[in-house]
Amino acid sequence: GQQLNQSPQSMFIQEGEDVSMNCTSSSIFNTWLWYKQDPGEGPVLLIALYKAGELTSNGRLTAQFGITRKDSFLNISASIPSDVGIYFCAGRHTGNQFYFGTGTSLTVIP
Amino acid sequence: DTAVSQTPKYLVTQMGNDKSIKCEQNLGHDTMYWYKQDSKKFLKIMFSYNNKELIINETVPNRFSPKSPDKAHLNLHINSLELGDSAVYFCASSHRTSGSLETQYFGPGTRLLVL
């Protein structure tokens, strides 16, 4: 199955810094989702995007649906220690199948 | 008020055994999924059911057999377990609202270790 490319693969940042990560696909998607996975837990949905160019925020998190429909971006402002985890993007063409990114592991140093 | 629940959370078993993992969602969703997450954290779709009908069946050994008794449940039965089956298995569900808006929610995972 298709796997989306996420970058960076891992990040180590100081508390208070802003974070940016992205996800790219070789094909066009109609939906982009961003998830966070804490150790020992399942992925938790953070933000859903449904329209090219759409910019959506959830607290300190902001995600964008790229205008080419082949990419998406997630920004976290003023990071805090509980932001630690693995962030996954997921995209859907039509139908029910979601394709997942390779994940970005975030470490926040207090 | 758990949205997507899975049992058991941990499963340790011997090679060659048969085991089942259960999943239930109380979100009223019409589609359910099984994913496998390997040690590198890659999430791979295994199966998807929509209204109890199998719609996605990725290249998965036929030792894995999903069963959906109703829209709220999707169980996964694994025969003749192998060492390589050790992974975390996630159940998920989704529902397409009007205008094709769809989100997907995950269960807490079942950690399977085959010895």
Side-chain angles (χ1 to χ4, degrees), chain A residues 55-105:
Chain A
L55 189 71
T56 297
S57 292
N58 178 4
R60 294 176 296 104
L61 278 61
T62 302
Q64 184 159 27
F65 194 138
I67 56 172
T68 65
R69 295 167 62 194
K70 292 185 177 182
D71 54 13
S72 182
F73 310 89
L74 177 70
N75 295 316
I76 306 173
S77 62
S79 59
I80 59 178
S82 63
D83 290 334
V84 163
I86 302 177
Y87 291 79
F88 290 100
C89 62
R92 182 180 71 89
H93 304 286
T94 55
N96 295 91
Q97 187 157 356
F98 286 88
Y99 298 92
F100 277 79
T102 47
T104 293
S105 175

Side-chain angles (χ1 to χ4, degrees), chain B residues 48-64:
Chain B
S48 176
Y49 271 73
N50 178 261
N51 287 317
K52 301 196 302 174
E53 184 181 337
L54 180 65
I55 55 169
I56 295 173
N57 184 354
E58 291 292 298
T59 308
V60 176
N62 58 14
R63 299 181 294 104
F64 290 79

Side-chain angles (χ1 to χ4, degrees), chain A residues 35 37 40 50 92 95-96, chain B residues 33 37 96 100 103-104 111:
Chain A
Y35 291 87
Q37 186 176 21
Y50 300 107
R92 182 180 71 89
N96 295 91
Chain B
Y33 310 77
Q37 187 174 46
R96 189 171 305 167
S100 293
T103 53
Q104 188 178 69
R111 285 133 197 90

Side-chain angles (χ1 to χ4, degrees), chain A residues 2-63:
Chain A
Q2 182 176 4
Q3 194 134 52
L4 309 182
N5 292 316
Q6 266 184 261
S7 65
Q9 187 175 3
S10 61
M11 302 179 76
F12 292 81
I13 62 167
Q14 292 283 343
E15 183 177 356
E17 287 183 359
D18 297 343
V19 173
S20 289
M21 60 188 80
N22 67 42
C23 190
T24 58
S25 165
S26 57
S27 53
I28 288 172
F29 286 130
N30 294 322
T31 301
W32 284 97
L33 306 178
W34 283 93
Y35 291 87
K36 182 192 177 204
Q37 186 176 21
D38 291 328
E41 304 292 333
V44 173
L45 183 66
L46 299 173
I47 293 178
L49 302 160
Y50 300 107
K51 197 173 169 184
E54 180 181 353
L55 189 71
T56 297
S57 292
N58 178 4
R60 294 176 296 104
L61 278 61
T62 302

